Amino acid sequence: MRGLLLSVNVGRPKHVAWQGRTVYTGVWKRPVDGPVMARRLNLDGDGQGDTEGHGGEQRAVLVYQLDSYRHWQQALALPSDFGQFGENLTVDGLADDEVCVGDRYRIGDAEFEVTQPRVTCYRVGLRLGVPEMAALLVAHHRPGFYMRVIREGLIRAGDVITRTRRGPLPVAEADALLYLPNPDPNRVRLAAGVPALSPGWRQSFRDMLTPRPADAPAWPGFRPLRVAAVHAENATVTSIRFAGPSPHARPGQYITVRLPGNGPVRSYSLSSDACRITVKREPHGAASGFLTTEVRPGSTLDVAAPRGDFVLEDGDEPVLLISAGIGLTPVLAMLHHLAGGPREVWWIHAARSPAEHPLAAEASALLATMPNAHEHIFYSTTTGRLTAERLAAIRVPRTATAYVCGPDAFMTDMREALERAGVGRIRSELFTARPSINPGLAGRPARAPHPPAGEPGDGPRVTFARSGVSAAVPPAGSILDLADACDVPTRWSCRTGVCHTCETPLLAGEVTYSPEPLEPANPGSVLICCARPGTDVVLDM
């Protein structure tokens, strides 16, 4: 295959105003005259703003085709200015359905290897003034592709492009396998084994071959459940068990409770293999205060079905159950599931004192049924805190899978200690809002979630359960737009229903989509970047 290099385009990152915020991006490229040096990480004079999602050895050079320019001119009346798709090389030839991952090309004095399709990113839409462009590139099978530099050298517009090696997987097919529904498993398996494919894409295809269960919740929305029993575990902690058959829940999952009168919405881990939650009364906590002091047997509470992916995985390797304070609840449910079995289990818990260690006798009784159990308890007021050094001294097995739950700082310390000890599989639970993924946004002071500015809307309301904010979506806005306006931590990349980075559990309500996502969300979840509430909704964020 041969082609022609029409333009070499570079651009340094700059700050760009966008939706009341600032994006630091290198998507603005301009053609340059004369020779340009292609180096291992970049072209001379070029740069990227978001170096986690763009650039680097595997994405040193972005290529886009003249034929695709013509396509978008017809479809969207876009201009023909080279570089406007953020590409470094504008070429005649090298169509996405003909170029393969693993192809090598000689251009001028340099040689390149194709590594992956373009990343689905909102910034190409920002550059072109077409917000849905990331989805359109995938849907029209015209993503463009990245190359790494095999041999550094000078290139210039007018150079002939010559293929020197053939790869096994067309770029357009690789893009469709990852982002479009119903991929052929055999082709996914092929893609996962292509050596030239960038490591991130190879891992994505491996994950597709061994997907996690995506079962629909046991029931939609909230369901009234009667309280069967209430038991005070200590002065501040109370267990509440609901009546009826236990809902189908995997050990470690949580349920979401809505207080009477459309009150606060909070999530609590199931603390046993029955439908039981264990709640610590927090100072000034409206929800925990009500649950630990007002609820009685016979009370009825609205409950959403079990959810969550912090779950005990099947296997025969050792298990580390590590917790602090009330963080013991999800790992205690795992211990219930393991009780009486042969797996090696390490129960490691930290509390302030024996008086502030709920369910201690229950955990010890379960451990007594297990021939390969180890119990280590740390009381900060007497025997001393559980530190990274103390965890290292326990000498836990490196082959174990660790499940960690507790305050954020505790989980960070334990993860670092486990990694230093050589434990490779570490899972952790987080009940505050998950860390944001907002690629390219320039730093700004963090703000606590809050109602949006201006007059309240009169449409369906969205409740962000983890953040404790409820508000109506503005006209023509998405749920993601509302979350941004409320400073609720959000996770997104494409903002057009392609990448599923924004996928969020939908606890209650119904949504519609505009634009329609290329692939539906998993059962019980919603893509907030393109979702509009059809009714009042509650989201786990």
Side-chain angles (χ1 to χ4, degrees):
M1 179 185 292
R2 292 170 67 88
L4 183 67
L5 179 57
L6 299 177
S7 179
V8 180
N9 317 299
V10 300
R12 295 291 189 187
K14 63 179 181 179
H15 290 95
V16 179
W18 174 74
Q19 296 188 1
R21 290 171 288 181
T22 301
V23 177
Y24 186 58
T25 176
V27 74
W28 267 262
K29 309 294 186 189
R30 57 176 179 81
V32 293
D33 297 325
V36 176
M37 188 68 178
R39 303 189 186 276
R40 186 175 65 88
L41 297 180
N42 229 329
L43 302 183
D44 280 358
D46 194 46
Q48 295 81 30
D50 171 23
T51 53
E52 289 189 11
H54 301 273
E57 183 176 0
Q58 299 294 326
R59 298 173 298 223
V61 177
L62 179 61
V63 181
Y64 210 57
Q65 305 82 17
L66 179 63
D67 183 61
S68 290
Y69 265 86
R70 293 170 178 151
H71 174 83
W72 298 119
Q73 286 168 4
Q74 293 180 355
L76 301 175
L78 292 178
S80 57
D81 303 329
F82 291 158
Q84 66 177 320
F85 285 85
E87 80 274 15
N88 299 112
L89 308 182
T90 313
V91 301
D92 189 4
L94 278 64
D96 290 339
D97 58 356
E98 297 177 354
V99 170
C100 290
V101 175
D103 279 3
R104 290 193 178 186
Y105 293 95
R106 185 172 60 250
I107 308 174
D109 298 330
E111 188 171 9
F112 304 86
E113 183 175 58
V114 178
T115 56
Q116 67 173 73
R118 174 202 296 269
V119 176
T120 56
C121 170
Y122 73 104
R123 280 158 287 198
V124 66
L126 167 64
R127 169 67 177 86
L128 295 167
V130 183
E132 66 274 20
M133 198 69 213
L136 292 174
L137 291 171
V138 176
H140 288 236
H141 304 284
R142 295 179 179 272
F145 55 88
Y146 282 104
M147 301 193 298
R148 66 186 182 102
V149 179
I150 299 295
R151 183 178 67 247
E152 295 183 344
L154 293 172
I155 61 174
R156 72 181 72 202
D159 282 342
V160 172
I161 303 170
T162 304
R163 186 170 66 200
T164 60
R165 180 183 294 182
R166 181 65 167 161
L169 180 69
V171 165
E173 182 185 3
D175 198 57
L177 286 172
L178 187 62
Y179 292 123
L180 294 180
N182 304 316
D184 181 343
N186 291 326
R187 300 300 289 175
V188 172
R189 192 168 291 106
L190 169 68
V194 175
L197 188 65
S198 63
W201 278 63
R202 281 207 312 274
Q203 186 59 52
S204 294
F205 288 127
R206 292 191 192 107
D207 292 343
M208 291 170 64
L209 293 171
T210 55
R212 289 189 174 187
D215 297 334
W219 62 83
F222 287 93
R223 167 183 292 183
L225 294 184
R226 184 174 63 85
V227 174
V230 178
H231 181 260
E233 304 292 351
N234 60 26
T236 60
V237 175
T238 299
S239 289
I240 299 170
R241 182 170 60 81
F242 293 95
S246 298
H248 174 68
R250 300 176 68 193
Q253 289 191 308
Y254 60 88
I255 59 174
T256 302
V257 179
R258 181 170 61 194
L259 269 59
N262 285 323
V265 176
R266 298 291 186 269
S267 294
Y268 299 97
S269 295
L270 294 168
S271 58
S272 73
D273 48 4
C275 192
R276 183 186 73 176
I277 59 174
T278 301
V279 182
K280 180 181 180 182
R281 186 172 69 252
E282 302 290 351
H284 313 295
S288 65
F290 179 88
L291 291 170
T292 56
T293 63
E294 301 295 328
V295 173
R296 300 286 186 270
S299 299
T300 299
L301 295 172
D302 288 341
V303 177
R307 288 173 170 82
D309 55 9
F310 179 68
V311 294
L312 179 68
E313 298 174 359
D314 294 332
D316 55 10
E317 77 279 359
V319 176
L320 310 180
L321 303 178
I322 305 174
S323 58
I326 199 62
L328 64 78
T329 54
V331 292
L332 182 60
M334 297 178 186
L335 189 63
H336 271 275
H337 185 78
L338 293 164
R343 288 180 75 174
E344 183 179 4
V345 176
W346 296 67
W347 177 260
I348 303 170
H349 181 69
R352 284 181 50 83
S353 68
E356 297 173 84
H357 181 182
L359 301 162
E362 181 176 313
S364 292
L366 293 171
L367 291 164
T369 70
M370 310 172 70
N372 296 308
H374 311 264
E375 185 176 20
H376 297 269
I377 306 299
F378 297 84
Y379 296 128
S380 59
T381 57
T382 55
T383 57
R385 294 176 56 247
L386 172 56
T387 63
E389 292 73 21
R390 287 191 162 194
L391 181 64
I394 294 175
R395 298 187 181 278
V396 296
R398 295 184 176 185
T399 56
T401 300
Y403 301 87
V404 186
C405 188
D408 291 352
F410 172 82
M411 290 194 293
T412 298
D413 290 346
M414 293 300 102
R415 176 175 286 275
E416 292 175 354
L418 290 165
E419 289 174 346
R420 287 199 297 270
V423 176
R425 293 185 297 276
I426 305 170
R427 313 284 187 263
S428 57
E429 177 66 302
L430 183 68
F431 273 113
T432 57
R434 294 184 298 170
S436 296
I437 298 176
N438 302 158
L441 287 190
R444 62 174 181 173
R447 298 181 62 191
H450 57 84
E455 292 295 322
D458 57 2
R461 296 187 69 78
V462 176
T463 297
F464 301 107
R466 293 186 185 227
S467 301
V469 174
S470 180
V473 173
S478 68
I479 293 174
L480 176 55
D481 293 330
L482 176 63
D484 288 341
C486 297
D487 284 307
V488 170
T490 54
R491 303 162 73 87
W492 48 263
S493 180
C494 71
R495 298 184 75 99
T496 56
V498 180
C499 68
H500 286 227
T501 302
C502 72
E503 188 164 342
T504 301
L506 176 65
L507 302 178
E510 298 177 354
V511 302
T512 60
Y513 285 106
S514 179
E516 194 71 23
L518 296 183
E519 184 173 17
N522 285 317
S525 295
V526 60
L527 302 180
I528 63 171
C529 73
C530 52
R532 274 73 172 165
T535 64
D536 289 352
V537 301
V538 180
L539 293 164
D540 186 27
M541 63 181 294

